Amino acid sequence: MKWDPLALGMEGEKERAANMRNYVLETTTYTFSTAISTNLVNALAMRYLGFGLADIGALAILRTAAVSLGSIAALPILEKYRPERLKVWLAFGAVNRVGWALSGLAPLLPAPYAQVVLWGVVATSQFAGAVAGVASMDTLADNVRPSVAGRFFGSVASLNNVATLAALALTLASFRLLPPEGAYAFLYATSLLFALISTWSLSRLRDFSRPQPKEVSLLEAMRSYTQLVRDSGSRNFIALSNSFTFAVHLPFAFWDYYVMKVMGGDEIWITAKNVANIALKALSLKAWSNYVNVIGPRRSALASMFSTTPIPVMYTASDSLAALVGVNLYASVAWTPWEIANTLYMLYLVPEAERPSFLSAQTVASNAVATLGTSFGVAVASAAGVTSAFALSSLLRGAVALVALRWMPELRK
């Protein structure tokens, strides 16, 4: 797939275009690496560490909770070192991607150290990724013009989905051709190699904007969050997007669990469904990246909220690998408008001076809500069965989508 920054609104800015090509290399190799390591972590824990329902639920909660903590820490770090935000992105980004690649070493340790190490590596990687994520989005927002952001980020997301598809295809082939132990060793070694390539690519990026630093304590960071809710647009978006996040995360801990423990699948099934989920995503992102500029982020977000509502029920109604693949093909298209629209809201809903606070606050809120949603889903599943968590997710998604018809804000031009 050809990707030309000059065709995406950077004409006459060759240095910026070259910089964005480095970013494309960084993000695609990062995506390839983490698509391998994060795809396998639940299966690895179940196969080698004896994780059951409660353990998998706890791991899912830890993953989202660590991101919330990292997002809180991100604001004072980024504000203080904002002129050097690329270094912040590099330092924490390296820990994030290399950490995920090293998580595959946990089963080599004796119990109970193996479980503790896995939880520690996952938590550290997620914490660092949250800080890197805020720094990266702030940097990109100042280096990509809003008028072309929809096409730019849609095109980049499309390439990232191609990278994810390649990573999952490699995973599928590895488990077909190698015994499980050999497949895990090969895949995590490959993940580490691409994590290092990605880190090197990130070190070559340049920041063409030099925002001013500002000392912000954790208390002041908390106060800056409260200022955001005074604006109805940011307040409504935070409320609606996080209500939707809560609904979406009710079955978060059980997608892979349902495949292996209820449907009787294995790593091949998990990888196959994930391949299906992104199989159409690259094409869908490419199409929507242009279409979102026509209908706008608001309508794109609403279309996605409604179309993703039945997915959990469709998932539990699947009785074969073929049906599971079909559901994930549908999901790959249904989620695309939300992914692009949400990125645009995050980058351009508030003025530049308020962006670090908004990015931090929204990331904190979304991951805190995701943690609550996952915890509530675990409680529901424990009390009434796994299927009930999926059904409740569909009901709540639909309810939030109906409310969003009235309250989802328009994105500022």
Side-chain angles (χ1 to χ4, degrees):
M1 181 184 299
K2 185 178 180 181
W3 187 87
D4 183 8
L6 295 176
L8 291 171
M10 300 178 194
E11 54 276 1
E13 302 180 36
K14 292 184 178 180
E15 288 186 350
R16 288 175 180 263
N19 196 48
M20 288 299 99
R21 290 191 185 96
N22 287 333
Y23 167 66
V24 170
L25 177 61
E26 181 275 331
T27 189
T28 51
T29 51
Y30 168 77
T31 299
F32 184 86
S33 173
T34 55
I36 293 174
S37 54
T38 60
N39 172 62
L40 290 174
V41 67
N42 285 343
L44 178 88
M46 286 185 281
R47 177 181 287 274
Y48 295 113
L49 303 182
F51 276 35
L53 177 65
D55 298 313
I56 289 295
L59 184 62
I61 292 168
L62 177 66
R63 289 172 69 169
T64 53
V67 175
S68 292
L69 293 175
S71 301
I72 293 173
L75 182 56
I77 292 173
L78 183 60
E79 289 285 22
K80 182 176 181 179
Y81 299 103
R82 207 172 179 201
E84 304 297 331
R85 56 191 173 181
L86 263 180
K87 293 182 179 179
V88 174
W89 183 1
L90 175 61
F92 286 90
V95 172
N96 168 249
R97 62 202 73 194
V98 173
W100 269 114
L102 294 177
S103 65
L105 297 177
L108 300 179
L109 301 173
Y113 301 109
Q115 293 90 333
V116 173
V117 167
L118 181 64
W119 286 353
V121 170
V122 168
T124 302
S125 299
Q126 291 291 84
F127 180 94
V131 178
V134 174
S136 66
M137 294 188 76
D138 186 50
T139 303
L140 291 170
D142 284 335
N143 286 273
V144 179
R145 293 203 300 271
S147 60
V148 299
R151 282 190 296 150
F152 175 79
F153 289 112
S155 297
V156 171
S158 182
L159 287 173
N160 278 332
N161 276 276
V162 172
T164 302
L165 183 61
L168 295 182
L170 179 65
T171 301
L172 194 61
S174 298
F175 279 101
R176 284 288 189 184
L177 300 174
L178 300 171
E181 291 79 7
Y184 275 109
F186 169 73
L187 289 167
Y188 273 98
T190 302
S191 176
L192 178 59
L193 173 63
F194 277 84
L196 295 174
I197 293 173
S198 177
T199 303
W200 171 78
S201 302
L202 177 55
S203 69
R204 299 179 65 216
L205 290 183
R206 293 179 58 193
D207 187 356
F208 289 92
S209 177
R210 297 287 292 180
Q212 295 300 309
K214 183 171 61 175
E215 291 287 345
V216 176
S217 66
L218 281 175
L219 180 60
E220 290 171 330
M222 297 296 118
R223 290 172 179 168
S224 71
Y225 295 161
T226 64
Q227 296 176 359
L228 293 170
V229 300
R230 297 175 183 174
D231 175 74
S232 61
S234 58
R235 180 177 66 242
N236 289 349
F237 177 75
I238 290 173
L240 288 170
S241 63
N242 286 294
S243 296
F244 193 60
T245 295
F246 180 88
V248 167
H249 274 77
L250 287 174
F252 176 75
F254 308 118
W255 298 102
D256 292 346
Y257 179 90
Y258 194 87
V259 171
M260 294 188 73
K261 301 298 185 180
V262 179
M263 298 185 69
D266 55 18
E267 286 90 350
I268 291 177
W269 282 47
I270 290 174
T271 304
K273 77 176 179 66
N274 290 336
V275 167
N277 187 261
I278 63 149
L280 297 180
K281 186 66 70 67
L283 293 176
S284 183
L285 280 164
K286 187 67 175 177
W288 271 100
S289 64
N290 293 314
Y291 196 50
V292 72
N293 288 330
V294 177
I295 68 171
R298 183 180 187 276
R299 290 181 179 177
S300 297
L302 291 173
S304 196
M305 293 173 81
F306 279 105
S307 61
T308 58
T309 291
I311 290 174
V313 172
M314 294 167 64
Y315 195 87
T316 56
S318 303
D319 58 1
S320 66
L321 178 58
L324 194 66
V325 167
V327 172
N328 281 274
L329 287 173
Y330 170 80
S332 70
V333 177
W335 273 111
T336 300
W338 173 261
E339 292 179 9
I340 298 176
N342 186 62
T343 297
L344 296 179
Y345 274 108
M346 291 284 286
L347 295 180
Y348 304 113
L349 182 61
V350 302
E352 182 272 338
E354 300 173 14
R355 191 191 306 128
S357 295
F358 179 70
L359 290 173
S360 175
Q362 174 63 357
T363 308
V364 170
S366 63
N367 283 277
V369 167
T371 302
L372 291 174
T374 301
S375 302
F376 186 65
V378 170
V380 169
S382 299
V386 174
T387 304
S388 59
F390 287 90
L392 185 58
S393 177
S394 282
L395 288 173
L396 291 182
R397 291 185 195 201
V400 175
L402 289 173
V403 175
L405 283 172
R406 171 68 177 83
W407 298 107
M408 180 66 76
E410 291 283 1
L411 190 60
R412 296 183 179 96
K413 299 294 184 181

